[in-house]
Amino acid sequence: MCEDCLWQHPNRRGFLKTAAAAAFTTMAANPILAHAAEAPNAIPPKEALKRLVAGNAHYAAGGVRCVDVSRGRAERVAVQYPIAAVVSCSDSRVVPELAFNQGPGDLFLVRVAGNFVNDDGLASLEYAVAMLGAPLIVVLGHQNCGAVAAAIKAVKDNAALPGHLPGLIDAIKPAVIKAE
């Protein structure tokens, strides 16, 4: 597959390339971000990624970051400067701040069971980049996703699900069918 042809063959790598390009274009043209050069998150995406990778290595090695969550609370009420926007599953076992060893306000999270991006999630990512100056978008996956397991069961067994779950599963089904 051609990795440069996002619109013909959408994939996560293409999505991230396009999102990064859009982030820089939007930031450069947005007068609201005139203060962005002084913002604590006015760092290159590579620096943001380096911090997350180092934080994850620390976490994976069993390290714990002791954070006083009350420290800086008043400043965070007024403004936020995330170093990354993270798309992740809403699975309660996956906590991006812990996995990347980051404190309150360091990450802007977009979470939904099954870890997919719909229009609301995409608008949230655009907000993080255009309005908050997040220099990096990360898609965080995990194993043993309950929503994906439910989608697989729904496809294989034609299982009926209650409430709004069919809408959630419908968003995941194309990936399940393609993976089969």
Side-chain angles (χ1 to χ4, degrees):
M1 174 177 10
C2 174
E3 293 180 6
D4 295 326
C5 302
L6 170 66
W7 303 117
Q8 294 174 358
H9 306 288
N11 61 31
R12 282 188 177 179
R13 181 173 292 135
F15 168 76
L16 292 175
K17 283 181 182 178
T18 301
F24 291 114
T25 302
T26 303
M27 287 176 70
N30 191 338
I32 294 173
L33 292 176
H35 72 284
E38 308 103 40
N41 64 346
I43 58 175
K46 284 184 180 183
E47 175 61 29
L49 182 59
K50 184 178 170 183
R51 289 184 193 180
L52 297 182
V53 169
N56 183 252
H58 183 259
Y59 172 77
V64 177
R65 179 178 178 190
C66 296
V67 177
D68 178 1
V69 295
S70 65
R71 184 173 176 203
R73 185 180 313 168
E75 292 84 5
R76 287 191 306 274
V77 167
V79 66
Q80 55 181 315
Y81 297 108
I83 64 163
V86 179
V87 178
S88 73
C89 183
S90 56
D91 190 304
S92 62
R93 300 166 294 177
V94 180
V95 183
E97 291 92 346
L98 296 178
F100 292 120
N101 202 23
Q102 298 299 307
D106 292 337
L107 303 177
F108 184 91
L109 304 177
V110 177
R111 301 183 77 178
V112 64
N115 196 16
F116 61 89
V117 175
N118 60 13
D119 287 343
D120 296 327
L122 186 55
S124 295
L125 291 170
E126 291 172 347
Y127 175 77
V129 171
M131 305 308 286
L132 303 178
L136 179 69
I137 295 175
V138 174
V139 178
L140 176 63
H142 74 101
Q143 297 176 336
N144 301 319
C145 179
V148 171
I152 292 169
K153 183 168 178 57
V155 168
K156 287 186 177 181
D157 302 340
N158 201 24
L161 300 169
H164 291 88
L165 289 175
L168 181 80
I169 299 306
D170 286 345
I172 303 170
K173 273 185 184 179
V176 171
I177 292 167
K178 189 173 182 177
E180 286 184 333

